[in-house]
Amino acid sequence: MYRKTGMTTLLLAALSCGNTWATQPDEISSLSVRGFGTLGVARSSSDHAEFARDFSQPKGIKGGQWSGRIDSILGLQANWQATSQLELVGQLVSRYRYDESRDPEVMWAFAKWEPDARVALRAGRIGADFMMLADSRLVGYSSLTVRPPTDFFGPLFFSHFDGADASLTWPLGKGLVRGKLFGGTISEKTPLALELWDTSGASTRGLVLDYLTGPWQLRASTAYVGYSNDIQYARRLADLLRGTAVPSASIAADALKVAGTTTRYDTLGVVYDAGPLQVQAMLNSIRHEAGYLHNSHAGYLLAGYRLGTVTPYAGVSWWKSKLKSPSTGLADPDLNDAFDFVMGTTVADQTTYTLGARWSLCRNTAIKLQWDAIRGSAASKLPFVRSQPDWNGRTNVISAVVDFIF
Amino acid sequence: MALRTILLSLILMLLAPHAAADLVVVANPKSGIERLSQDEVINIYLGRYRRLASGITAEPVDLAGDVEQKARFYRRLVGKTQAEINAYWARLIFSGRTRPPQVAENVEAALDYVAARPGALAYVERAQVDKRVRIVFEMGE
């Protein structure tokens, strides 16, 4: 009852279009507190697998039931401009998370130092620069679609890292080049296939290069993640395989090891944003050292055109694994089945077609309706939660959200 | 001759209201810059790059609220509505990336701010420009 009342109050506040969004701080040395949120419902038609927004969600939606689970978010951020060069930023977010609670998480907590208009240094808990237009994937009001394309951003299991980044911007030709180096440690947990994977102690580092000229933004980036923890169910299976003392089974067991391995994540992207037209496209390649994690490539193309206060949009995204096929070489059907099952949990093979519209209700509130048709193979289990044996890789997701800032 | 006079009068009549509503970007005379290109104004106002050619850090000023002059400025600069500019800043602010422009309650306050700070810039109607500031970019109609 309390939750319903709270959600209703938020919804009414968003729809009232109050003029409370303080877009700009007034003076140097000022404190500002702002917030963002999404109230949304979605339904996925398939009974045989649960659709989730990203890897952080332990349960998704299925069976044609409307649910507010995956997209509803509330965030609060404080910025303190201590001096003209130093700013402190903290952000708390409540969202559906790995432990099925909505307990607030510290998403950002960093100090930013800008000694010069060309240089920015940040240290603390910061967001990784994975989206072309923002570091956060949670601020629905700031983006065209209900959620970032799941095929592309879904596998990014962490939202922030504890570390530092340094960015440098300089003019080149008629445009600007922006380079950013980042590095730090990850401390998030992610539900993966069968149980919770604690990625604490993993490290990340990377480089992002952007070129901005007129309505164009071009992007190339590379990032590494180094893991320090195994995925426990894979480790237990590896122990069983090693216990057979068969050399080929030991090699298969090694493929299940994730601790000590790295993942390389490369992206290319382009945005064209001119007046009412916005087009975005990105490609990625994800390569894992761990034999258990299949390499993959993904991409998306999204275009929207504003007509008055409504922006219809259409997009296509895809995510395909390139299968690694280690085998145990054993005659034991139970162990072979278990091994094949575990290897099968990390396969993605699907394309998503998206149609939607964003209606700017007022200066701080937008309403979105979206339809996603996911067309994949039965093997495409990684993007979904608890896929059943009769999962055929196809589902239709309909979403309706109210995004607001305050 | 009469035809020429009529034509000239017509042209002046057409131009007059537009000239009065011309938006310009003004800077402090001590900014060390004479002109800005449209790309430079975009970079400064959208927080991409706020360094003037003279080496001074640019401090753009926005008008408070949803006033018509502000809507016209962004529509002409980047073809965006106020809601889109809001969404743009939401994206950057909630990423902790960059600061939006300073805010002035009205044009007089904006001009006072520009007159007082070497790196400050503001957008005003041409008719509102006074001797304390210098026009560095003309948006036209």
Side-chain angles (χ1 to χ4, degrees):
Chain A
M1 184 64 196
Y2 171 79
R3 176 173 288 178
K4 270 191 177 171
T5 308
M7 295 287 263
T8 307
T9 308
L10 273 175
L11 184 60
L12 288 173
L15 293 174
S16 72
C17 294
N19 201 15
T20 53
W21 167 243
T23 315
Q24 296 92 358
D26 298 323
E27 290 296 336
I28 299 290
S29 190
S30 65
L31 175 71
S32 58
V33 179
R34 304 179 177 90
F36 60 88
T38 296
L39 288 169
V41 290
R43 70 187 287 276
S44 175
S45 58
S46 175
D47 269 327
H48 308 298
E50 297 172 29
F51 174 81
R53 182 186 175 99
D54 57 39
F55 274 16
S56 71
Q57 303 189 323
K59 286 183 181 171
I61 53 172
K62 69 169 189 173
Q65 300 293 313
W66 288 98
S67 167
R69 178 182 290 153
I70 62 171
D71 293 313
S72 297
I73 290 164
L74 187 64
L76 205 60
Q77 178 172 311
N79 291 55
W80 183 46
Q81 191 70 45
T83 71
S84 61
Q85 296 182 346
L86 180 67
E87 185 179 21
L88 303 177
V89 181
Q91 187 187 92
L92 279 177
V93 170
S94 167
R95 58 171 175 164
Y96 180 60
R97 52 181 235 166
Y98 69 90
D99 60 0
E100 296 192 50
S101 79
R102 288 185 179 272
D103 292 346
E105 302 165 68
V106 177
M107 202 58 74
W108 319 142
F110 61 81
K112 184 171 72 169
W113 184 51
E114 289 178 292
D116 183 283
R118 296 167 293 189
V119 181
L121 304 169
R122 303 192 298 180
R125 174 165 291 185
I126 49 186
D129 206 353
F130 285 121
M131 290 182 74
M132 284 192 70
L133 299 172
D135 291 353
S136 174
R137 287 171 264 156
L138 304 176
V139 188
Y141 179 81
S142 69
S143 58
L144 196 55
T145 51
V146 166
R147 61 189 81 82
T150 304
D151 293 336
F152 196 88
F153 296 101
L156 299 172
F157 64 88
F158 62 100
S159 305
H160 51 71
F161 61 89
D162 298 326
D165 66 16
S167 57
L168 185 65
T169 306
W170 67 96
L172 183 73
K174 287 192 75 179
L176 297 169
V177 176
R178 188 164 55 205
K180 180 153 101 169
L181 277 168
F182 65 87
T185 58
I186 300 163
S187 57
E188 292 183 59
K189 294 184 175 69
T190 183
L192 191 65
L194 303 173
E195 58 190 38
L196 206 60
W197 181 28
D198 183 356
T199 62
S200 300
S203 63
T204 183
R205 64 187 192 281
L207 170 68
V208 183
L209 277 176
D210 285 307
Y211 184 66
L212 300 99
T213 179
W216 294 94
Q217 180 185 351
L218 309 173
R219 148 88 45 109
S221 76
T222 187
Y224 287 88
V225 176
Y227 306 101
S228 56
N229 289 337
D230 275 324
I231 297 164
Q232 290 306 312
Y233 62 82
R235 186 175 186 158
R236 287 194 296 274
L237 178 59
D239 290 343
L240 287 173
L241 289 170
R242 282 198 190 89
T244 63
V246 175
S248 59
S250 291
I251 292 170
D254 288 344
L256 296 172
K257 189 171 173 53
V258 175
T261 68
T262 60
T263 292
R264 180 171 167 176
Y265 182 80
D266 297 318
T267 68
L268 286 174
V270 59
V271 170
Y272 179 80
D273 190 356
L277 176 65
Q278 189 190 125
V279 182
Q280 299 178 35
M282 285 191 89
L283 296 171
N284 77 25
S285 157
I286 304 177
R287 280 169 286 173
H288 305 279
E289 277 184 354
Y292 160 57
L293 303 169
H294 302 290
N295 296 339
S296 67
H297 59 90
Y300 75 90
L301 173 65
L302 173 70
Y305 192 89
R306 172 171 43 78
L307 301 164
T309 56
V310 177
T311 307
Y313 55 84
V316 60
S317 59
W318 60 94
W319 183 11
K320 309 271 183 204
S321 293
K322 190 175 175 187
L323 298 187
K324 298 170 181 173
S325 47
S327 89
T328 65
L330 295 174
D332 182 338
D334 289 341
L335 269 180
N336 282 341
D337 285 352
F339 185 75
D340 290 344
F341 175 79
V342 167
M343 290 297 296
T345 57
T346 63
V347 176
D349 178 21
Q350 63 183 34
T351 301
T352 304
Y353 303 94
T354 300
L355 280 177
R358 174 194 164 110
W359 175 33
S360 290
L361 184 64
C362 53
R363 75 194 305 261
N364 56 4
T365 305
I367 291 174
K368 295 175 193 162
L369 291 173
Q370 185 170 309
W371 173 67
D372 295 287
I374 299 171
R375 299 291 178 264
S377 72
S380 193
K381 293 179 177 171
L382 181 58
F384 292 86
V385 182
R386 274 181 288 281
S387 51
Q388 306 297 317
D390 47 2
W391 163 240
N392 65 1
R394 298 164 69 92
T395 189
N396 294 307
V397 180
I398 299 171
S399 316
V401 300
V402 179
D403 292 313
F404 54 92
I405 51 176
F406 56 95
Chain B
M1 186 65 190
L3 185 63
R4 206 169 137 188
T5 310
I6 291 167
L7 274 174
L8 266 175
S9 306
L10 274 173
I11 289 166
L12 283 174
M13 277 169 65
L14 284 170
L15 286 179
H18 291 258
D22 251 3
L23 274 178
V24 295
V25 174
V26 295
N28 187 299
K30 291 178 186 162
S31 60
I33 53 164
E34 297 291 330
R35 304 296 295 171
L36 288 175
S37 67
Q38 180 156 347
D39 284 340
E40 287 172 318
V41 176
I42 291 171
N43 289 339
I44 289 168
Y45 266 90
L46 298 190
R48 291 172 170 182
Y49 188 68
R50 288 185 175 154
R51 186 181 156 90
L52 300 175
S54 58
I56 292 175
T57 298
E59 298 178 65
V61 181
D62 230 343
L63 293 176
D66 285 341
V67 294
E68 188 275 337
Q69 192 164 320
K70 181 178 177 179
R72 192 152 38 99
F73 173 70
Y74 283 107
R75 197 169 61 238
R76 285 193 204 157
L77 190 66
V78 286
K80 296 292 182 188
T81 63
Q82 194 57 53
E84 287 170 316
I85 293 295
N86 259 358
Y88 174 83
W89 280 113
R91 214 150 64 199
L92 297 190
I93 288 169
F94 292 124
S95 299
R97 279 200 191 176
T98 188
R99 283 204 302 279
Q102 302 289 316
V103 167
E105 281 306 310
N106 50 46
V107 172
E108 290 70 30
L111 286 168
D112 288 347
Y113 192 84
V114 175
R117 301 175 77 96
L121 299 159
Y123 51 86
V124 298
E125 309 285 4
R126 185 186 295 277
Q128 294 167 323
V129 175
D130 63 31
K131 287 180 180 170
R132 298 176 298 161
V133 299
R134 170 189 292 164
I135 295 173
V136 291
F137 180 67
E138 302 182 45
M139 306 200 79
E141 186 54 37

